[in-house]
Amino acid sequence: MKEKFTFLVLSLFLLTGAYSQSGSSVSGTIQDEQGKNIASATISLLQQKDSALVKLAVSNENGQYEFINIKPGRYLLSVVLVGYTKKWSAPFAVNADPLTVPLISLQPSVRNMNEVTVSAKKPFVETKIDRTVINVEASPTSAGSSALEILEKSPGVSVSNEGNISLRGKAGVIVMLDGKPTYMSATDLANLLRNMPAAELDVVEIMTNPSARYDAAGNSGIINIKTKKGRSNGFNGTLTLGATAALFKPEGALYVIPKSQNSFTFNYKHNKVNFFGSYLPNYFRGRQTLNIERNFYDAMGNKDGSSDLVTRFRFGNFNQTLRLGLDYQPNKKNIFGVVMSGFLFEGRPLPTSSSVIKDNNGNILSTLLSSTKNITSFKNFTGNLNWKHNFDSAGKELTTDIDYVVYNNTSDLLLTTDVYNSSGNQVGPSILLNGHIPSTINIWSFKSDYVQPYKGGRFEAGVKSSIVENDNEVNYTRQLPDKTWIPDNRSNHFIYRENINAIYVNANKQLGKWSVQTGLRLENTIAKGRQVSNDSSFKRNFTNLFPSVFISYAFNKQNQLTASYSRRITRPNYQDLNPFTFFLDSLTYRVGNPYLLPQFTHNAELTYAFKSKFIFTLAVNTTNNVISQILRQSSADKITYNTSENIAKFNNISFSVTAPARFNSWWNANFFATVFNNHYKGIYNTDPIDISFTSFNMNITNSFVLNKKKGLNAELSGFYRHKTVDQLAVFHPVYLMSIGLQKQVMQGKATVRMNIRDPFAWQKFRATTKYSDVDVKTLALPDARQVTLTFAYRFGKNTPGSQPRRRTSGSQEEQSRVGGGN
């Protein structure tokens, strides 16, 4: 227990020290000559006596900036932004009272854009009223990390051993890449994010209560992962090379596991054309151990034996991602774009299992040894055509996106099982099951959005239509004692088609200190599924309204209160609808459920913001017909399988705190904590389920400037998730610490990073599932202890200029629901 809380005590001590400093605040607004607010301007707070830099700030979308904890003295400001002349403020004095600097107006610059260089270091975590922003490159511990590991240490985000993502204790998160949904199941999405290097990420946006403009899918919110884009005129880009050694010691033997994450991004901008792209080749090896202990019960509730399963996973794959895009701007009012991307994955997961069946006295009845040879191929192509028309310079615009997405997933496996009796002698010949599992998903999507600004607010409206065709097969054959192969009755063929049509309106208005936003989204879903093997089918056609309301009141510049409400839907992902059987071993497998229904959630939040940095949020959520991952058992056959069903009602209440801190000029910290209660209540078979648990989690990031002149920085970060209930299982505490170093080299053109992740091998996943006749304990040991070294070289002109637009596309939900089949 002492080791368990070492990092927490240290981090809380550091954070407490960070609050020991106090001072006044300096704030103001940046505008252009026409009186329009300017975002992204870099404001430097300087000492008047020698112009020494004290702090940096960046203006927000309202042109506002703020410096906090400023000591009394005399200062001045300098403001720079690409395309504008550098502006200086008049000197001013800071005392104990907050100070508002007079409005600063910038004038357009006639200088050559290629001669201007602006740099400002962003914090790792930025908190805003409607979202939390993670600036990935600001963290030295991002070196060599994957996108999934970045999410893992993001405020309020939890990642299970299987890669399931939850937000503030709630599952059902929609994950998007550059505004596009991933169209993938939780398993396949986790594999994609594990193989996506953090070096390719720009920012991660976390939205717990999105507006009506976004798809209504996702009962706990949206996480939007934005990749890096070129920002400069001419030709420029970044080359990143990374090597990782994972140290895995599950049962005494130490394994050193190599991994490599690399990337090349580029951007070429000339006049009206902007061409950009990236290539990511990654080499991955991994190991994991999974222990499952099960107790079985007869019809009278008496214990009827047990089993101990140990599965050792070995992973190996090589994956490549290529992305190319082109923006063409023939005039000031129109931009046309095309984006194409492809993902290739070739893997060979090799699990071996030992399952020991025991009687009530612990005597061994039989032992099953299983091994699976897998060859997995995953291919994806995504194409996007987009157009943006600006009617005027006030922000009136129309955007249109047309998308086509295709996924091809093929898995070939050979499952071999040997059975041994209590004396250790093999019973009969080896049991062989051969499987060929192809899956194809085609998605077409159209989306158009209109924005009309007006005095004090703006009006938004849009339409969306998507069509999904999902064709899945599983062809199993088994070997007879005479070595001949025959079809297995678990073979199946499932075809699923879905059409979703949506229309929305959204409007906001500033009324003095009040700000009001309201929206309404209408979605119609038409779905049809058919099992070809037994000629059974289902049809669904339903229409739903999804309102959203945001009301905010600004008491003054430092205090703001916001209340929000939205209704959301979570549709079953395609993998959960797929009625196939996927094996871990002969006695443990997963089965889909084609009769799953969508779940609906009511979300309400009350948020208080102090100085737009200290955020306190109270959230209440209720979900009906919650889609739950459940276990079912057959005591007679000693079989346990996982499936999804609508069996419970889910209530969640949470209180979260976000608090940045600045100890001095070389030490910054950001702290996030959530206390929440999850309550599941429903019926399993004929037995009631009533599981409730109050828990908390916390994230802390400490950033240190070790040598500013030499560009040497460090980071100490980590998270702790207390015991909680999720998907009807009770998960034990999970915690992890990371240490990172970062050094600028080659006159600032390159960066060397070192990251040590989980140096004490704290991260373990333990869970207990107990209801009705289900009594299961699991323990997963991943290869989380890793040492990574990366080198990133930036070439070309690095002056900020036009940036390729991040397209939100028309496929905002469907990609998060693609099923992979294994």
Side-chain angles (χ1 to χ4, degrees):
M1 292 296 294
K2 181 177 180 181
E3 179 189 64
K4 180 176 178 179
F5 290 100
T6 300
F7 171 67
L8 298 179
V9 173
L10 175 61
S11 295
L12 289 173
F13 170 76
L14 297 179
L15 184 65
T16 302
Y19 281 101
S20 63
Q21 298 295 320
S22 61
S24 185
S25 65
V26 177
S27 61
T29 303
I30 310 297
Q31 294 183 347
D32 62 14
E33 290 181 316
Q34 286 74 39
K36 296 180 181 179
N37 296 329
I38 294 179
S40 303
T42 301
I43 302 98
S44 302
L45 179 66
L46 310 172
Q47 293 183 1
Q48 182 186 356
K49 60 181 180 180
D50 56 4
S51 296
L53 178 65
V54 178
K55 283 188 177 183
L56 287 172
V58 179
S59 61
N60 62 21
E61 59 186 3
N62 297 318
Q64 299 172 339
Y65 63 91
E66 183 181 31
F67 300 94
I68 62 173
N69 293 332
I70 304 304
K71 297 179 181 179
R74 294 194 61 80
Y75 302 86
L76 72 159
L77 299 177
S78 71
V79 184
V80 292
L81 180 65
V82 173
Y84 293 89
T85 301
K86 185 175 183 179
K87 189 69 175 284
W88 299 81
S89 74
F92 53 86
V94 174
N95 49 40
D97 299 323
L99 174 69
T100 300
V101 178
L103 175 71
I104 297 177
S105 179
L106 300 183
Q107 297 179 345
S109 173
V110 297
R111 294 176 62 189
N112 186 335
M113 296 290 289
N114 293 331
E115 297 175 357
V116 183
T117 301
V118 180
S119 62
K121 179 176 174 58
K122 293 183 178 181
F124 177 63
V125 179
E126 290 183 285
T127 54
K128 301 181 180 181
I129 291 297
D130 61 339
R131 68 191 65 193
T132 299
V133 179
I134 310 300
N135 296 301
V136 178
E137 198 169 37
S139 168
T141 60
S142 297
S145 298
S146 67
L148 192 66
E149 291 165 348
I150 294 296
L151 292 182
E152 188 177 50
K153 72 174 187 175
S154 297
V157 179
S158 299
V159 180
S160 72
N161 180 58
E162 294 79 16
N164 295 313
I165 300 170
S166 59
L167 186 58
R168 293 182 182 173
K170 298 182 298 175
V173 182
I174 295 299
V175 177
M176 300 190 298
L177 296 176
D178 290 325
K180 301 173 184 288
T182 54
Y183 291 103
M184 307 175 87
S185 69
T187 302
D188 287 335
L189 175 62
N191 288 332
L192 175 66
L193 297 179
R194 283 191 184 101
N195 290 282
M196 179 181 292
E200 281 305 297
L201 307 188
D202 184 13
V203 300
V204 176
E205 295 179 331
I206 303 172
M207 295 170 277
T208 58
N209 220 358
S211 70
R213 179 165 185 167
Y214 293 91
D215 286 338
N219 70 292
S220 62
I222 292 175
I223 296 177
N224 185 24
I225 301 173
K226 295 183 177 181
T227 57
K228 292 178 180 177
K229 309 293 188 302
R231 299 174 180 268
S232 310
N233 291 317
F235 182 71
N236 58 86
T238 303
L239 174 66
T240 302
L241 303 175
T244 297
L247 306 178
F248 188 54
K249 190 178 182 181
E251 300 164 347
L254 177 64
Y255 299 93
V256 179
I257 306 166
K259 309 172 192 280
S260 179
Q261 294 179 323
N262 310 283
S263 66
F264 171 73
T265 63
F266 72 91
N267 183 81
Y268 175 75
K269 186 177 185 301
H270 179 68
N271 296 332
K272 300 178 179 181
V273 176
N274 195 34
F275 179 53
F276 56 94
S278 62
Y279 173 63
L280 288 69
N282 297 301
Y283 171 86
F284 182 83
R285 292 291 183 272
R287 286 179 179 264
Q288 178 175 291
T289 298
L290 175 66
N291 299 327
I292 302 178
E293 299 177 8
R294 291 173 282 198
N295 291 318
F296 300 100
Y297 300 87
D298 61 23
M300 302 301 295
N302 301 312
K303 187 176 179 181
D304 188 25
S306 64
S307 75
D308 295 333
L309 170 67
V310 178
T311 301
R312 297 174 178 85
F313 297 91
R314 286 189 297 148
F315 310 97
N317 70 69
F318 177 70
N319 62 84
Q320 304 173 76
T321 302
L322 177 65
R323 184 174 184 270
L324 298 174
L326 179 71
D327 284 337
Y328 174 64
Q329 187 172 7
N331 50 55
K332 293 183 179 181
K333 290 190 174 183
N334 293 283
I335 301 178
F336 299 91
V338 57
V339 181
M340 294 181 294
S341 63
F343 178 72
L344 299 176
F345 175 96
E346 300 291 339
R348 293 177 179 267
L350 300 172
T352 58
S353 299
S354 171
S355 183
V356 180
I357 311 299
K358 302 177 182 178
D359 62 17
N360 287 342
N361 297 319
N363 299 314
I364 296 177
L365 300 177
S366 61
T367 301
L368 279 73
L369 301 181
S370 301
S371 63
T372 305
K373 295 181 180 179
N374 283 291
I375 300 177
T376 302
S377 173
F378 184 78
K379 300 176 182 179
N380 158 249
F381 170 79
T382 300
N384 167 260
L385 297 174
N386 58 80
W387 168 57
K388 179 181 179 181
H389 177 73
N390 297 304
F391 294 92
D392 51 39
S393 59
K396 182 179 179 181
E397 66 179 36
L398 176 68
T399 59
T400 300
D401 286 270
I402 301 174
D403 290 88
Y404 172 67
V405 183
V406 59
Y407 287 88
N408 286 303
N409 188 356
T410 302
S411 178
D412 292 295
L413 65 88
L414 178 62
L415 172 62
T416 303
T417 303
D418 295 314
V419 181
Y420 297 85
N421 60 23
S422 58
S423 301
N425 299 316
Q426 186 169 349
V427 179
S430 299
I431 303 171
L432 274 68
L433 181 72
N434 187 71
H436 175 65
I437 310 172
S439 174
T440 300
I441 300 176
N442 289 280
I443 302 169
W444 296 267
S445 178
F446 170 84
K447 181 174 77 79
S448 186
D449 300 288
Y450 172 75
V451 178
Q452 171 69 67
Y454 51 80
K455 186 176 181 180
R458 70 177 187 174
F459 170 80
E460 299 175 337
V463 297
K464 175 191 171 182
S465 181
S466 66
I467 298 174
V468 178
E469 293 184 354
N470 187 1
D471 192 331
N472 303 274
E473 289 186 69
V474 55
N475 300 306
Y476 285 126
T477 57
R478 56 189 174 88
Q479 190 182 69
L480 298 178
D482 62 1
K483 305 299 182 181
T484 60
W485 292 86
I486 63 172
D488 186 86
N489 58 11
R490 288 165 292 193
S491 298
N492 208 334
H493 186 187
F494 179 65
I495 299 174
Y496 179 78
R497 290 183 174 87
E498 179 184 82
N499 174 220
I500 300 177
N501 300 290
I503 184 172
Y504 78 90
V505 292
N506 197 68
N508 62 65
K509 179 71 174 178
Q510 189 74 36
L511 303 170
K513 292 186 176 182
W514 291 90
S515 178
V516 180
Q517 177 175 297
T518 182
L520 184 64
R521 188 177 185 92
L522 175 71
E523 291 191 355
N524 169 256
T525 302
I526 303 172
K528 180 180 179 181
R530 179 181 174 223
Q531 293 191 64
V532 178
S533 302
N534 58 12
D535 196 25
S536 62
S537 64
F538 66 86
K539 294 181 180 180
R540 297 193 182 110
N541 188 334
F542 53 91
T543 302
N544 300 102
L545 287 172
F546 300 95
S548 62
V549 179
F550 300 79
I551 301 175
S552 181
Y553 180 76
F555 298 93
N556 49 49
K557 290 186 176 180
Q558 295 186 350
N559 297 275
Q560 187 171 358
L561 188 67
T562 302
S564 62
Y565 164 80
S566 68
R567 182 174 186 253
R568 305 192 65 77
I569 184 175
T570 299
R571 299 177 179 87
N573 70 50
Y574 309 129
Q575 177 182 344
D576 287 340
L577 290 170
N578 191 339
F580 297 171
T581 301
F582 302 102
F583 291 93
L584 178 61
D585 68 1
S586 298
L587 302 179
T588 313
Y589 51 86
R590 176 173 57 80
V591 180
N593 180 4
Y595 303 106
L596 278 176
L597 298 174
Q599 65 182 37
F600 295 88
T601 302
H602 297 274
N603 290 334
E605 293 187 1
L606 183 65
T607 300
Y608 167 69
F610 176 63
K611 294 185 177 181
S612 296
K613 296 183 181 297
F614 300 89
I615 311 295
F616 306 86
T617 301
L618 175 66
V620 179
N621 312 272
T622 298
T623 303
N624 296 312
N625 282 333
V626 64
I627 300 172
S628 302
Q629 296 286 329
I630 68 168
L631 297 177
R632 290 193 175 274
Q633 293 193 153
S634 171
S635 295
D637 299 323
K638 308 305 181 195
I639 288 175
T640 301
Y641 65 92
N642 174 282
T643 188
S644 297
E645 295 184 15
N646 302 97
I647 66 168
K649 180 179 180 180
F650 172 68
N651 292 314
N652 167 274
I653 183 170
S654 66
F655 179 73
S656 62
V657 178
T658 301
R662 182 179 178 86
F663 182 66
N664 50 39
S665 61
W666 55 270
W667 180 10
N668 290 281
N670 191 283
F671 176 77
F672 176 89
T674 300
V675 179
F676 61 91
N677 175 268
N678 286 346
H679 187 188
Y680 290 87
K681 191 173 184 179
I683 300 294
Y684 172 88
N685 293 336
T686 58
D687 298 323
I689 294 176
D690 194 342
I691 305 174
S692 179
F693 210 93
T694 298
S695 182
F696 73 93
N697 59 48
M698 59 179 289
N699 301 68
I700 188 166
T701 302
N702 295 283
S703 302
F704 307 95
V705 180
L706 303 182
N707 192 316
K708 186 175 182 179
K709 291 183 179 180
K710 296 183 179 181
L712 182 61
N713 300 294
E715 179 183 294
L716 173 66
S717 63
F719 67 83
Y720 176 85
R721 296 198 298 270
H722 195 54
K723 188 176 181 180
T724 186
V725 59
D726 185 28
Q727 295 290 311
L728 306 182
V730 176
F731 289 86
H732 294 249
V734 179
Y735 41 94
L736 179 145
M737 179 178 72
S738 295
I739 304 170
L741 290 173
Q742 173 177 297
K743 178 72 169 65
Q744 301 290 331
V745 297
M746 300 176 65
Q747 298 180 337
K749 291 184 178 182
T751 303
V752 177
R753 294 185 176 95
M754 184 183 70
N755 176 35
I756 304 174
R757 184 177 188 271
D758 197 14
F760 304 109
W762 288 342
Q763 189 175 38
K764 300 177 179 66
F765 296 91
R766 299 177 185 269
T768 302
T769 306
K770 191 169 185 178
Y771 47 81
S772 188
D773 64 340
V774 176
D775 186 358
V776 178
K777 294 181 180 179
T778 60
L779 169 63
L781 303 174
D783 57 353
R785 180 164 50 180
Q786 301 176 4
V787 180
T788 299
L789 186 66
T790 66
F791 173 80
Y793 176 72
R794 296 171 292 276
F795 59 89
K797 301 176 181 178
N798 294 315
T799 58
S802 297
Q803 181 178 359
R805 300 172 297 142
R806 291 190 181 95
R807 301 308 306 149
T808 59
S809 87
S811 43
Q812 298 251 325
E813 180 225 346
E814 293 78 10
Q815 292 198 42
S816 61
R817 298 168 55 213
V818 165
N822 52 57

